[in-house]
């Protein structure tokens, strides 16, 4: 037994417990005098009511030596003089294999009132540093997503991060459910950030399904929860993904949506006095986005393939958050409302979408066929008006004639029922057959 280790721990142990006290509550913020705490530390605010559990909060700033706290829950029964206790450490969540199949909140607690966390879970910090760029293995292996439009023309690699850009009601959640069910990843981690309360159970039962939930962990932070809970939902889901990646798993992280994370950070930034900049977003929004999104990807042990949905106001793909996210990620899939209105699902506009690692993971033959199909679609779209009004006469241009004959077959190939399942190999074979005239 090494007594010097015990002696060192005893010497560092605090013999007094220090408390602060609440001075005032302004909007989302609680200002307290003491205790000594650092940014990001978790504190307990003890209510004046003896039978109420303490409110968990986090240090988010300082003002004239006063501590600015933001609660994880609604501020009720908190008054001037309430005691504030610092835990001395940042937020941690319980993680382990037995968590698979569960639905938890941003603090890692089960959302079902009757359920309790499984035994044998480990503590894991929610705020981690991104992997060292020099230790990230390059992406060289394709991953099966299970969506024909993606696997064929926008092939993804294990560890790639993509954004799914769409307005409201175009089918983002349904697409995520398809990916969760059909992908060949080992584990899915799904973060539902800022969703309507009605949609959480609906997504789990309808879009994800019983089979999908068997290999999935869902982290839900609904729109009625405080801004800090919505942000921590994204951090918790990313931390859970990192835990399994470090064990050597291939993980799918799906976050719906990163836009609501940015909106929650804007609320906090404005509350602590940050100046509003582009469209009211504060500077901290554009600093946390790369830190959050760069945590996913590859490392020496495993991979996190990440899908981030981005809500675009009025289908404007150049609004600030969409522009910032597109610059960070390894590709973007644009969901087009016009395609959805035509009854095509998934409504992915292949011509406006890009997978930046497709050239590294697809075979030369597949890339050539994909390029040919894209060219046929582009020629048809460029001449769509002439064709539709009957102004184009067959035989005038060979390329246009070819695009007219292939276009209906390509659209039929890209259309997919939500319960239709194709492996990556089957999809590539179907694409080859399409170009060779095998699909009618």
């Amino acid at each position: 037994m090494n007594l010097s280790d015990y002696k060192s721990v005893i010497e560092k142990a605090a013999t007094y417990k220090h408390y602060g006290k609440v001075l005032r509550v302004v909007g989302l913020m609680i200002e307290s005098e003491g205790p000594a705490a650092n940014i990001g530390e978790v504190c307990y605010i003890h209510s004046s009511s003896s039978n109420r559990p303490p409110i968990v909060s986090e240090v988010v700033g300082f003002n004239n030596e006063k501590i600015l706290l933001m609660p994880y829950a609604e501020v009720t029964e908190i008054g001037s003089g309430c005691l504030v206790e610092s835990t001395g450490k940042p937020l941690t969540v319980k993680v382990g294999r037995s968590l698979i199949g569960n639905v938890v909140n941003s603090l890692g607690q089960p959302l079902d009132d009757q359920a309790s966390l499984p035994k044998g879970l480990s503590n894991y910090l929610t705020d981690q540093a991104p992997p060292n760029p020099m230790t990230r293995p390059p992406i060289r292996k394709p991953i099966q997503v299970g969506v024909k439009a993606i696997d064929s023309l926008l092939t993804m690699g294990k560890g790639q991060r993509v954004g799914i850009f769409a307005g409201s009601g175009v089918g983002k959640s349904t697409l995520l459910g398809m990916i969760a069910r059909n992908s060949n990843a080992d584990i899915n981690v799904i973060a539902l950030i800022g969703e309507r309360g009605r949609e959480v159970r609906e997504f789990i039962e309808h879009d994800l399904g019983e089979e999908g939930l068997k290999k999935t962990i869902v982290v839900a932070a609904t729109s009625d929860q405080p801004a800090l809970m919505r942000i921590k939902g994204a951090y918790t889901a990313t931390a859970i993904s990192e835990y399994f990646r470090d064990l050597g798993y291939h993980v799918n992280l799906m976050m719906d949506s990163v836009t609501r994370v940015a909106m929650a950070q804007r609320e906090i930034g404005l509350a602590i006095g940050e100046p509003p900049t582009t469209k009211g977003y504060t500077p901290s929004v554009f600093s946390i986005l790369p830190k959050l999104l760069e945590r996913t990807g590859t490392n020496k042990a495993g991979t996190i393939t990440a899908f981030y949905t981005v809500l675009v106001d009025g289908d404007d793909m150049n609004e600030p958050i969409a522009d910032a996210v597109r610059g960070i990620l390894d590709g973007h899939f644009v969901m087009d409302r016009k395609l959805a209105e035509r009854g095509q699902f998934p409504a992915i506009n292949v011509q406006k979408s890009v997978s930046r690692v497709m050239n590294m993971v697809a075979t030369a033959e597949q890339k050539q066929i994909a390029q040919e199909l894209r060219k046929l679609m582009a020629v048809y779209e460029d001449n769509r008006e002439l064709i539709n009004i009957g102004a184009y006469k067959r035989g005038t241009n060979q390329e246009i004639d070819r695009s007219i004959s292939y276009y209906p077959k390509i659209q039929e190939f890209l259309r997919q029922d939500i319960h239709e399942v194709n492996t990556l190999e089957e999809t590539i074979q179907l694409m080859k057959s399409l170009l060779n005239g095998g699909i009618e």
Side-chain angles (χ1 to χ4, degrees):
M1 184 183 293
N2 193 347
L3 293 175
S4 61
D5 291 342
Y6 289 96
K7 185 180 177 183
S8 175
V9 171
I10 292 169
E11 287 174 350
K12 291 177 181 177
T15 54
Y16 292 92
K17 186 173 278 291
H18 297 276
Y19 289 90
K21 64 177 182 179
V22 173
L23 295 178
R24 63 174 186 160
V25 177
V26 181
L28 306 175
M29 308 302 303
I30 298 172
E31 191 174 295
S32 76
E33 186 173 3
N38 300 321
I39 292 283
E41 278 187 19
V42 173
C43 293
Y44 294 126
I45 303 173
H46 295 274
S47 169
S48 52
S49 174
S50 58
N51 59 355
R52 182 179 174 82
I55 292 174
V56 185
S57 60
E58 184 177 305
V59 180
V60 294
F62 303 97
N63 181 25
N64 295 330
E65 299 184 6
K66 304 295 190 295
I67 292 177
L68 299 178
L69 299 160
M70 183 159 282
Y72 289 116
E74 294 297 329
V75 182
T76 54
E77 299 185 26
I78 291 293
S80 180
C82 285
L83 294 180
V84 180
E85 175 190 357
S86 175
T87 62
K89 55 187 179 182
L91 181 67
T92 59
V93 290
K94 299 278 188 183
V95 194
R97 272 200 58 83
S98 53
L99 197 62
I100 298 171
N102 285 280
V103 183
V104 297
N105 66 10
S106 302
L107 306 181
Q109 300 162 344
L111 279 179
D112 187 347
D113 292 336
Q114 305 303 316
S116 59
L117 281 176
K119 303 294 182 185
L121 300 178
S122 307
N123 285 321
Y124 199 80
L125 283 172
T126 60
D127 200 353
Q128 302 278 345
N132 185 328
M134 294 305 293
T135 64
R136 285 182 185 260
I139 299 169
R140 291 293 180 267
K141 293 182 180 178
I143 186 172
Q144 174 189 307
V145 175
V147 178
K148 287 190 293 184
I150 297 173
D151 284 341
S152 58
L153 302 175
L154 300 163
T155 311
M156 290 183 60
K158 287 182 178 178
Q160 185 178 353
R161 304 157 305 139
V162 298
I164 300 173
F165 294 73
S168 55
V170 186
K172 298 183 302 300
S173 298
T174 309
L175 178 61
L176 289 184
M178 282 181 68
I179 294 170
R181 291 193 310 271
N182 302 344
S183 170
N184 62 358
D186 301 322
I187 294 170
N188 298 313
V189 180
I190 301 178
L192 302 176
I193 311 299
E195 289 286 337
R196 304 172 188 90
R198 170 187 65 81
E199 289 182 334
V200 173
R201 187 168 175 180
E202 192 173 282
F203 174 83
I204 293 166
E205 293 181 358
H206 181 259
D207 296 327
L208 188 58
E210 189 177 341
E211 283 301 311
L213 189 59
K214 284 181 182 177
K215 65 170 188 175
T216 301
I217 300 168
V218 179
V219 180
T222 51
S223 58
D224 60 296
Q225 294 183 347
L228 194 60
M229 279 290 271
R230 281 175 270 146
I231 290 176
K232 288 300 171 184
Y235 279 74
T236 296
T238 307
I240 293 170
S241 304
E242 289 169 321
Y243 172 85
F244 286 105
R245 176 181 64 184
D246 293 344
L247 293 178
Y249 289 94
H250 298 295
V251 185
N252 272 355
L253 170 64
M254 285 164 269
M255 190 177 293
D256 186 15
S257 71
V258 73
T259 308
R260 294 193 180 108
V261 176
M263 289 176 174
Q265 180 61 37
R266 176 173 64 181
E267 286 181 43
I268 292 176
L270 292 172
I272 62 176
E274 280 191 78
T277 52
T278 314
K279 277 203 172 180
Y281 288 102
T282 57
S284 63
V285 173
F286 300 100
S287 68
I288 70 154
L289 280 176
K291 289 178 185 175
L292 176 64
L293 303 182
E294 285 290 348
R295 287 170 60 180
T296 54
T298 60
N299 75 357
K300 290 180 287 186
T303 63
I304 301 173
T305 306
F307 301 84
Y308 299 98
T309 67
V310 183
L311 282 168
V312 286
D313 294 333
D315 296 327
D316 176 17
M317 298 297 165
N318 296 315
E319 60 99 25
I321 299 303
D323 214 30
V325 171
R326 189 167 49 239
I328 298 165
L329 299 179
D330 308 319
H332 53 273
F333 301 159
V334 176
M335 299 192 75
D336 196 328
R337 194 176 297 278
K338 288 182 180 178
L339 292 178
E341 288 168 353
R342 289 179 205 159
Q344 180 174 322
F345 181 83
I348 299 172
N349 189 322
V350 175
Q351 292 166 274
K352 292 182 180 178
S353 304
V354 173
S355 171
R356 290 184 178 144
V357 303
M358 182 174 175
N359 286 335
M360 277 83 85
V361 298
T363 63
E365 184 186 14
Q366 183 192 342
K367 286 186 284 188
Q368 184 179 353
I369 295 170
Q371 191 173 357
E372 184 64 28
L373 291 179
R374 280 176 172 271
K375 183 180 176 183
L376 287 167
M377 293 171 71
V379 170
Y380 186 91
E381 290 295 339
D382 288 345
N383 298 277
R384 176 185 284 276
E385 289 185 8
L386 290 174
I387 296 166
N388 287 346
I389 64 174
Y392 174 75
K393 291 183 179 180
R394 288 253 184 180
T396 308
N397 185 300
Q398 191 176 353
E399 276 193 358
I400 299 176
D401 289 345
R402 192 160 176 257
S403 71
I404 291 171
S405 62
Y406 272 99
Y407 191 78
K409 299 176 185 178
I410 295 172
Q411 294 306 302
E412 187 58 37
F413 168 72
L414 295 177
R415 191 176 288 114
Q416 184 173 348
D417 186 77
I418 59 172
H419 299 295
E420 181 185 343
V421 182
N422 294 97
T423 65
L424 180 62
E425 293 76 18
E426 288 171 349
T427 298
I428 293 171
Q429 192 57 48
L430 282 170
M431 185 171 67
K432 291 178 184 176
S433 301
L434 165 62
L435 200 59
N436 296 329
I439 293 180
E440 295 301 331

